[in-house]
Amino acid sequence: MHFDRPTAGERFRYWFDGVMSKGMIALIALLALGSVVLIAVVSLVITVLGLWPDEQKSFDETFWSSLMHALDSGTLGGDDGVGLRAAQLVVTVAGIIVVASLISIISNAFDARVEQLRKGHSRVLEQDHTLILGWNSKIFAIVNEICLANQSRRSSAIVILAPGDKIEMEEALQAKVPDPGRTRLIVRSGDPLDLGDLEVASPRAARSIVILAPDGAEDPDSAVIKAALALTNSPHRKQGRYHIVGEIRHSANMDAARLVGRDEADWVLTDELISRITVQTSRQSGLSEVYTELLDFAGDELYFSEQTALTGRTYLDAQQAFADAAVIGVLSAGGVLLNPPAARVMQPGEKLILIAEDDSKIRTAPAGRPDMSLISDLVHHDDAPDRALVLGCNNSLGSMLAELDRYVAPGSTVTVVSPAAIPDLGPYKHLSVTHVPGDTVNRSVLESLRVHEFDHIVVLSDKDDTSPQRADAKTLITLLHLREMANGLGAELNVVSEMLDDRNRELAEVTKADDFIVSDKLISLMLSQTAENERTNEVFQALFSSTGSEIYLRPADLYIKPGAITDFHTVVEAASRRGETAIGYRIIADKRNKERSYGITLNPTKRDQLTLVPGDKVIVLAES
């Protein structure tokens, strides 16, 4: 095979390109070499031709003089003789070019380095930080909550590694999280699926790692699972176990997620969780406020505490032993047990699961003395069949109806209103489902449904085919129609709506809807809680399940005689007799008062006096 022999010019250009590609140091070295060669040649000419006017100087002295001319152009003014001036002029001009080139090279290299640092590729040196991998609309709520949780820490940090532009991400965080308190927010730009980029965020030193699904991805779950795989199977992984928290949107992907995460990851199944909460809150007015109170770090939250003084005492004794905390269950070697029997004896090593404002509030006090004469003996009757109305349709409808079927009495009905046909659903054990074609923002369609005759109304967000803002706009319009119709009929509607963007919640409150489910916000809160304490995920999974004990708001007259002046010690005793755990109450007179948490009081001080009247509710953990 015949090849053309490269010319000398081609060889030189090839060599020069190779040198140029080696960066700033190679360029400086090349300039220095060229300058030395030029100065040496000019110095040799001056020495050989004897261009010094007064006396002949050696080559060394001539070289030094020429070097000074190259570095300082003002030196040229002291030369005598046409030949010397001409020779040194060449050196001086070359020096000006070299110095200018050198300044340009250094300046460009410095600017490039600064830009590289601004892009966020330097390794994080934090220890015991919270690491968030990925970026989506939930990140601001998560960062806010973790900042609140870190207020009791002297020094803390949140590190975010996401593919976006570092400057843009930092500006967004500054706008949405203006006061992070003692927590430092550190952003790095990189792909969480890339092992090299992952090392930048120092995952081995992190206290906990939250993995977020990217917005707009066709298969967001695969990105979350791959990020977990990059952590657990990395050749540079740490020796101990990670504390990983991630969101999975579709239940079909849970097996793969558990296989990858093993015992190092807690997964929040978002679609199923929202379906469960939607069903539970649609059947109980005010329940979403209770869940929000439990999930966020402002106000009361979950704690785990071992109280050796209560070992050998009963669960009821433990409930009455705290004045400023509400005991809701026990954490044993077998896992989480919510609302155990009142006579269950506390074993050594077991921890109590409590609701408290702060861990400093978890301290025992002399047991209260319930007033047995004020305890009601009314009997709770089984619920009658429900009539539910679902306005809208999305991919959560099937799981929501399946969840609802576990709660309602036989003979219950659900009417689903949506423009398009709904998929085949059921069969269900207790429910019958009817589809009504129609647009839920159309007033005439809503009026034809006789909405006041339904026990519960659920407004589902059209999140599958439209943007979050457009979907929330449709929800708001539907809510406004419902509220105006209720005012015209003089009816009280039990409405639960799904909002995708928490910023729209305040707008929705103008409609006075009874409860709101903010999908992103609730998932963000749960991810934050689990990141701070992995055992809380077990508690929430048990609370939101249709089996075991859940939260109910039940008529107060089932526990305390109406109008009696009592305290919460007595309410706890009354609930215990029914096999339940009392954790709060709702005053019906404050149902519309946002400043009073819509009448909800969670974990009240047990010794304070209160009066419960017909219509008020007691918040309990119960099995059914």
Side-chain angles (χ1 to χ4, degrees):
M1 187 176 294
H2 178 266
F3 294 99
D4 292 335
R5 293 178 62 86
T7 65
E10 289 175 330
R11 289 181 181 276
F12 175 77
R13 284 194 295 271
Y14 184 75
W15 170 83
F16 186 75
D17 288 343
V19 173
M20 294 290 287
S21 65
K22 293 181 180 179
M24 180 184 69
I25 301 300
L27 294 176
I28 293 175
L30 188 61
L31 282 173
L33 177 61
S35 301
V36 168
V37 171
L38 177 64
I39 292 171
V41 170
V42 173
S43 299
L44 184 60
V45 170
I46 294 173
T47 304
V48 171
L49 298 180
L51 298 179
W52 291 105
D54 297 329
E55 60 179 329
Q56 186 66 20
K57 294 183 180 180
S58 66
F59 174 80
D60 294 343
E61 292 178 335
T62 304
F63 184 89
W64 177 256
S65 176
S66 298
L67 178 61
M68 293 301 100
H69 281 77
L71 295 177
D72 183 8
S73 58
T75 311
L76 187 63
D79 293 331
D80 295 322
V82 175
L84 180 62
R85 288 178 177 175
Q88 297 290 28
L89 178 61
V90 173
V91 173
T92 302
V93 172
I96 292 173
I97 295 173
V98 169
V99 171
S101 301
L102 186 62
I103 293 172
S104 176
I105 290 171
I106 295 174
S107 176
N108 289 337
F110 180 79
D111 290 343
R113 183 58 179 165
V114 170
E115 185 63 25
Q116 190 75 4
L117 291 173
R118 284 170 61 87
K119 287 181 179 179
H121 297 302
S122 60
R123 182 171 173 265
V124 170
L125 302 181
E126 299 295 331
Q127 298 284 328
D128 200 37
H129 56 281
T130 300
L131 172 58
I132 301 177
L133 300 178
W135 183 282
N136 64 22
S137 56
K138 302 180 184 68
I139 195 166
F140 304 113
I142 291 174
V143 171
N144 264 311
E145 289 300 313
I146 295 178
C147 287
L148 284 174
N150 287 340
Q151 285 182 345
S152 59
R153 295 175 179 268
R154 180 172 299 178
S155 178
S156 58
I158 299 174
V159 177
I160 300 168
L161 177 68
D165 181 81
K166 177 179 182 287
I167 306 302
E168 292 179 0
M169 290 188 287
E170 287 177 337
E171 290 176 348
L173 285 170
Q174 290 171 3
K176 301 294 184 181
V177 191
D179 183 18
R182 297 180 177 180
T183 303
R184 299 184 305 282
L185 304 183
I186 302 166
V187 179
R188 291 293 182 266
S189 180
D191 185 355
L193 306 184
D194 185 280
L195 293 179
D197 289 352
L198 197 56
E199 285 300 305
V200 168
S202 298
R204 293 187 296 278
R207 181 174 73 252
S208 60
I209 302 172
V210 180
I211 306 177
L212 298 181
D215 282 334
E218 291 185 6
D219 188 7
D221 288 350
S222 66
V224 173
I225 294 171
K226 288 177 182 177
L229 186 63
L231 287 165
T232 57
N233 282 21
S234 170
H236 309 295
R237 67 153 296 151
K238 69 178 183 180
Q239 295 298 318
R241 65 185 295 273
Y242 285 111
H243 175 199
I244 301 171
V245 184
E247 57 171 333
I248 297 294
R249 298 187 181 180
H250 303 295
S251 58
N253 297 320
M254 278 299 290
D255 288 340
R258 292 191 181 103
L259 182 64
V260 169
R262 298 188 293 274
D263 65 335
E264 298 182 90
D266 290 297
W267 302 107
V268 177
L269 186 54
T270 58
D271 285 355
E272 184 176 304
L273 178 64
I274 292 300
S275 297
R276 288 178 179 178
I277 297 177
T278 301
V279 167
Q280 292 179 16
T281 55
S282 71
R283 304 185 71 249
Q284 300 189 80
S285 172
L287 187 56
S288 68
E289 187 69 22
V290 177
Y291 283 155
T292 302
E293 177 76 8
L294 283 176
L295 284 164
D296 67 21
F297 286 102
D300 293 286
E301 57 193 274
L302 292 177
Y303 290 92
F304 301 86
S305 176
E306 183 177 356
Q307 298 286 332
T308 55
L310 294 175
T311 300
R313 306 286 296 277
T314 66
Y315 174 66
L316 179 58
D317 291 337
Q319 287 182 272
Q320 298 286 23
F322 297 90
D324 301 307
V327 178
I328 66 170
V330 176
L331 179 64
S332 66
V336 168
L337 179 61
L338 298 181
N339 183 38
R344 184 190 184 279
V345 176
M346 294 293 300
Q347 301 299 316
E350 292 184 336
K351 292 183 178 182
L352 291 171
I353 306 171
L354 307 101
I355 301 172
E357 183 180 352
D358 187 72
D359 53 5
S360 63
K361 301 284 187 179
I362 302 174
R363 55 180 184 270
T364 57
R369 297 181 179 180
D371 189 340
M372 306 300 182
S373 65
L374 300 180
I375 296 176
S376 172
D377 56 2
L378 291 180
V379 178
H380 177 69
H381 297 287
D382 293 335
D383 294 331
D386 280 356
R387 292 192 64 207
L389 174 65
V390 178
L391 300 175
C393 177
N394 58 35
N395 58 13
S396 301
L397 178 62
S399 58
M400 191 194 77
L401 294 179
E403 188 74 15
L404 181 62
D405 187 54
R406 299 187 182 103
Y407 287 95
V408 297
S412 299
T413 62
V414 174
T415 301
V416 180
V417 182
S418 68
I422 61 175
D424 292 334
L425 302 171
Y428 299 110
K429 184 177 180 181
H430 302 140
L431 279 178
S432 62
V433 181
T434 304
H435 175 245
V436 176
D439 191 346
T440 59
V441 299
N442 190 316
R443 178 64 175 265
S444 61
V445 171
L446 295 176
E447 289 178 341
S448 68
L449 296 171
R450 300 180 64 83
V451 293
H452 60 284
E453 296 180 0
F454 289 91
D455 299 309
H456 320 289
I457 301 174
V458 177
V459 183
L460 288 183
S461 176
D462 185 17
K463 58 187 176 184
D464 298 336
D465 301 320
T466 58
S467 67
Q469 293 302 323
R470 185 175 179 184
D472 283 355
K474 293 179 66 175
T475 301
L476 286 168
I477 293 171
T478 302
L479 289 173
L480 288 169
H481 284 319
L482 289 173
R483 189 52 52 193
E484 187 176 351
M485 291 165 58
N487 291 338
L489 295 169
E492 184 83 8
L493 299 182
N494 180 12
V495 182
V496 172
S497 60
E498 184 180 21
M499 287 285 170
L500 301 181
D501 191 330
D502 192 52
R503 292 173 296 180
N504 295 320
R505 179 168 183 154
E506 292 185 6
L507 295 175
E509 287 175 349
V510 176
T511 67
K512 300 181 181 179
D514 196 70
D515 283 287
F516 298 99
I517 304 301
V518 184
S519 302
D520 277 2
K521 180 67 177 290
L522 288 177
I523 298 301
S524 302
L525 295 178
M526 193 162 181
L527 290 170
S528 304
Q529 288 278 355
T530 308
E532 288 299 301
N533 189 329
E534 55 189 309
R535 303 311 296 265
T536 58
N537 190 44
E538 298 178 52
V539 177
F540 290 128
Q541 293 295 340
L543 277 177
F544 297 141
S545 173
S546 57
T547 59
S549 292
E550 304 157 59
I551 297 178
Y552 292 91
L553 286 81
R554 289 184 167 163
D557 55 11
L558 294 175
Y559 304 88
I560 301 296
K561 293 178 180 179
I565 300 175
T566 185
D567 60 24
F568 207 69
H569 281 294
T570 304
V571 177
V572 168
E573 174 69 29
S576 178
R577 294 186 178 190
R578 301 169 57 87
E580 302 169 358
T581 298
I583 61 174
Y585 55 84
R586 186 182 197 186
I587 303 300
I588 197 66
D590 294 329
K591 182 179 179 181
R592 300 297 181 194
N593 193 330
K594 179 181 178 181
E595 300 301 321
R596 294 178 178 268
S597 300
Y598 304 99
I600 299 290
T601 299
L602 205 61
N603 179 35
T605 302
K606 291 186 178 67
R607 58 180 172 269
D608 290 350
Q609 292 187 333
L610 72 153
T611 302
L612 300 174
V613 301
D616 291 344
K617 305 285 186 180
V618 173
I619 306 170
V620 297
L621 274 171
E623 292 224 358
S624 62

